[in-house]
Amino acid sequence: MDKPCYDFKSLAGSMGYLRTIIGYLDQLGWEPYASDHEDANAQYEINWKYADALTTADRYTFFKMMTSQVAKRFGAIATHMPKPFARLTGSGCHFHISLWDPEAKRNLFLDEADRRGLGLSELAYRFLGGVMSHARALAAVVAPTVNDYKRLSVGEFLTGATSGFTWTPAFVTYGDNNRTHMFRVPEPGRFESRLVSGAVNPYLGLAAFIGAGLDGIRRKLDPGEPNVGTNMYATSLEEMRRKGTALVPQSLPEALAALEEDPVIQEALGAELAPEFLKVKRQEWVRYHNTVSDWEIDRYLTLF
């Protein structure tokens, strides 16, 4: 179909698979509360109750293995690849972030009297200021593959999906319940990062986010006023450049260069792991760059 998003026919055809997955999540005690057809053909989203960072990383790692194994029973392949099809939306792993006092059972990111109107505390804004200031370096960690940057392409590609939008961020911005921002506040007391892809190593990604957020708290960084009611896809690159708004890295080497210049995110990864991560990812780019694709053959073989 022309616009496959939120399609009941597709959902109904995969109901057996989805019910099996949800059943296992129930048995595991993860408290799944929503599942639906997403934007692309055969693309589904499943949500379960939040937990602490380490538990969440464990669960997501197990979830990826479980979806793969269960899919085989239905003669299918389950993939969390960021951009498996050029004209369809990619797969994200959006981080929803809040900070809790376990003894008081209180969300420290919640402030119903927030003057900016989003329901976030000053502590939350400082954390948000930290992740925004390190966003380009964070991209290398939470969008760690060559394929990721085909999901995160800006300009004409933001509206190049079959359904109309890719629903990925173009600029390092935040705002209200608006999916065109890198950081969205869907409700008071938490914010979402839409930068993170299905290829993320959740342990590294969460460690990097925590490091960036703590840096924002230490330095009392302010993310500025939120962009409320603004469709970032309708904002030109030239306008955002005039405003000094940072752009999402457009390739793995660009993201790695940002990480290489960011000691805070490197420290969050660890003194031994950070240089090894950079080395391995640069090798990945070289291998990709030295592969001749079908697109190149179709375009150049008889042109010269």
Side-chain angles (χ1 to χ4, degrees), residues 82 138-149 152 195-201 204 252 255-256 277 280-281 284:
L138 284 172
V141 184
V142 301
T145 71
V146 168
N147 181 252
D148 271 298
Y149 297 89
L152 295 171
L195 176 67
V196 190
S197 88
V200 66
N201 177 318
L204 299 184
L252 182 59
L256 293 174
F277 180 89
V280 168
K281 287 299 163 181
E284 180 177 331

Coordinates of all heavy atoms in Angstrom, one line a residue, residues 82 138-149 152 195-201 204 252 255-256 277 280-281 284:
P82 N 18.7 -0.7 11.8 CA 18.2 0.7 11.8 C 17.4 1.1 10.5 O 16.4 1.8 10.5 CB 19.4 1.6 11.9 CG 20.4 0.7 12.6 CD 20.1 -0.7 12.1
L138 N 27.2 11.6 21.3 CA 26.3 10.5 21.7 C 25.8 9.7 20.5 O 25.6 8.5 20.6 CB 25.1 11.0 22.5 CG 25.3 11.4 23.9 CD1 24.1 12.1 24.5 CD2 25.6 10.2 24.8
A139 N 25.7 10.4 19.4 CA 25.2 9.7 18.2 C 26.1 8.5 17.8 O 25.6 7.5 17.4 CB 25.1 10.7 17.0
A140 N 27.4 8.7 18.0 CA 28.3 7.6 17.6 C 28.1 6.3 18.5 O 28.3 5.2 18.0 CB 29.8 8.0 17.8
V141 N 27.6 6.5 19.7 CA 27.4 5.4 20.6 C 26.0 4.8 20.4 O 25.8 3.6 20.5 CB 27.6 5.9 22.1 CG1 27.4 4.7 23.0 CG2 28.9 6.5 22.3
V142 N 25.0 5.7 20.3 CA 23.6 5.1 20.2 C 23.1 4.9 18.8 O 22.1 4.3 18.5 CB 22.6 6.1 20.9 CG1 23.0 6.2 22.4 CG2 22.5 7.4 20.3
A143 N 23.9 5.4 17.8 CA 23.6 5.1 16.4 C 25.0 4.6 15.8 O 25.6 5.3 15.0 CB 23.1 6.3 15.6
P144 N 25.4 3.4 16.1 CA 26.8 3.0 16.0 C 27.2 2.3 14.7 O 28.3 1.7 14.6 CB 27.0 2.0 17.2 CG 25.7 1.3 17.3 CD 24.7 2.4 16.9
T145 N 26.3 2.3 13.7 CA 26.6 1.6 12.4 C 26.5 2.5 11.2 O 25.9 3.6 11.3 CB 25.6 0.4 12.2 OG1 24.3 1.0 11.8 CG2 25.5 -0.5 13.4
V146 N 27.1 2.1 10.1 CA 27.0 2.8 8.9 C 25.6 3.0 8.5 O 25.2 4.0 8.0 CB 27.8 2.0 7.8 CG1 27.5 2.5 6.4 CG2 29.3 2.0 8.0
N147 N 24.8 1.9 8.6 CA 23.4 1.9 8.2 C 22.6 3.0 9.0 O 21.6 3.5 8.5 CB 22.8 0.5 8.4 CG 21.4 0.4 8.0 OD1 20.5 0.3 8.8 ND2 21.1 0.4 6.7
D148 N 23.0 3.3 10.2 CA 22.2 4.2 11.0 C 22.0 5.6 10.4 O 21.0 6.2 10.5 CB 23.0 4.5 12.4 CG 22.6 3.5 13.4 OD1 21.4 3.5 13.8 OD2 23.4 2.7 13.9
Y149 N 23.0 6.0 9.6 CA 23.0 7.4 9.1 C 22.2 7.4 7.8 O 22.0 8.5 7.2 CB 24.4 7.9 9.0 CG 25.0 8.0 10.4 CD1 25.6 6.9 10.9 CD2 24.7 9.0 11.2 CE1 26.0 6.9 12.3 CE2 25.1 9.1 12.5 CZ 25.8 8.0 13.0 OH 26.1 8.0 14.4
L152 N 19.1 8.5 9.7 CA 19.2 9.8 10.2 C 19.4 10.9 9.2 O 19.7 12.0 9.6 CB 20.2 9.8 11.3 CG 20.0 9.0 12.6 CD1 21.2 8.9 13.5 CD2 18.8 9.5 13.3
L195 N 16.9 9.8 19.0 CA 18.2 9.6 18.3 C 18.6 8.1 18.2 O 19.1 7.6 17.3 CB 19.3 10.4 18.9 CG 20.7 10.3 18.3 CD1 20.8 10.8 16.9 CD2 21.7 11.0 19.2
V196 N 18.2 7.4 19.3 CA 18.7 6.1 19.5 C 18.2 5.1 18.5 O 16.9 5.1 18.3 CB 18.4 5.6 21.0 CG1 19.2 4.3 21.3 CG2 18.8 6.7 22.0
S197 N 19.0 4.2 18.0 CA 18.5 3.3 17.0 C 18.4 1.8 17.5 O 18.9 1.5 18.6 CB 19.5 3.3 15.8 OG 20.6 2.3 16.0
G198 N 17.8 1.0 16.7 CA 17.7 -0.4 17.1 C 19.0 -1.1 17.1 O 19.1 -2.3 17.7
A199 N 20.1 -0.5 16.6 CA 21.4 -1.2 16.6 C 22.2 -0.9 17.9 O 23.3 -1.3 18.1 CB 22.2 -0.7 15.4
V200 N 21.6 -0.1 18.8 CA 22.4 0.4 20.0 C 22.8 -0.8 20.9 O 22.0 -1.8 21.0 CB 21.5 1.4 20.8 CG1 20.3 0.7 21.4 CG2 22.3 2.1 21.9
N201 N 24.0 -0.7 21.4 CA 24.3 -1.6 22.6 C 23.8 -0.8 23.8 O 24.3 0.3 24.1 CB 25.8 -1.7 22.7 CG 26.3 -2.5 23.9 OD1 25.7 -2.3 25.0 ND2 27.3 -3.4 23.7
L204 N 26.2 0.4 26.6 CA 27.1 1.6 26.2 C 26.2 2.8 26.1 O 26.6 3.9 26.5 CB 27.8 1.3 25.0 CG 28.8 0.1 25.0 CD1 29.6 0.0 23.7 CD2 29.8 0.2 26.1
L252 N 28.7 8.0 9.8 CA 29.4 7.4 10.9 C 30.8 8.1 11.2 O 31.1 8.4 12.4 CB 29.6 5.9 10.7 CG 30.3 5.1 11.9 CD1 29.6 5.2 13.2 CD2 30.5 3.7 11.5
A255 N 30.1 11.3 13.1 CA 29.8 11.0 14.5 C 31.0 10.6 15.3 O 31.2 11.0 16.5 CB 28.7 9.9 14.6
L256 N 31.9 9.8 14.7 CA 33.1 9.3 15.4 C 34.0 10.5 15.7 O 34.7 10.5 16.7 CB 33.8 8.2 14.6 CG 33.0 6.9 14.5 CD1 33.8 6.0 13.5 CD2 32.8 6.2 15.8
F277 N 36.5 1.2 20.9 CA 35.2 1.4 20.2 C 35.5 2.3 18.9 O 35.0 2.0 17.9 CB 34.3 2.2 21.1 CG 32.9 2.5 20.5 CD1 31.9 1.6 20.6 CD2 32.7 3.7 19.9 CE1 30.6 1.9 20.0 CE2 31.5 4.0 19.3 CZ 30.4 3.1 19.4
V280 N 37.3 0.1 16.3 CA 36.5 -0.9 15.6 C 35.5 -0.2 14.6 O 35.3 -0.7 13.5 CB 35.7 -1.7 16.7 CG1 34.6 -2.5 16.0 CG2 36.7 -2.6 17.4
K281 N 35.0 0.9 15.1 CA 34.0 1.6 14.2 C 34.6 2.3 13.0 O 34.0 2.3 11.9 CB 33.2 2.6 15.1 CG 32.2 2.0 16.0 CD 31.2 1.1 15.2 CE 30.5 0.1 16.1 NZ 29.5 -0.7 15.3
E284 N 35.0 -0.4 10.6 CA 33.7 -0.7 9.9 C 33.4 0.2 8.8 O 33.0 -0.2 7.7 CB 32.6 -0.6 11.0 CG 31.2 -0.9 10.4 CD 30.1 -0.9 11.5 OE1 30.4 -1.1 12.7 OE2 29.0 -0.6 11.2

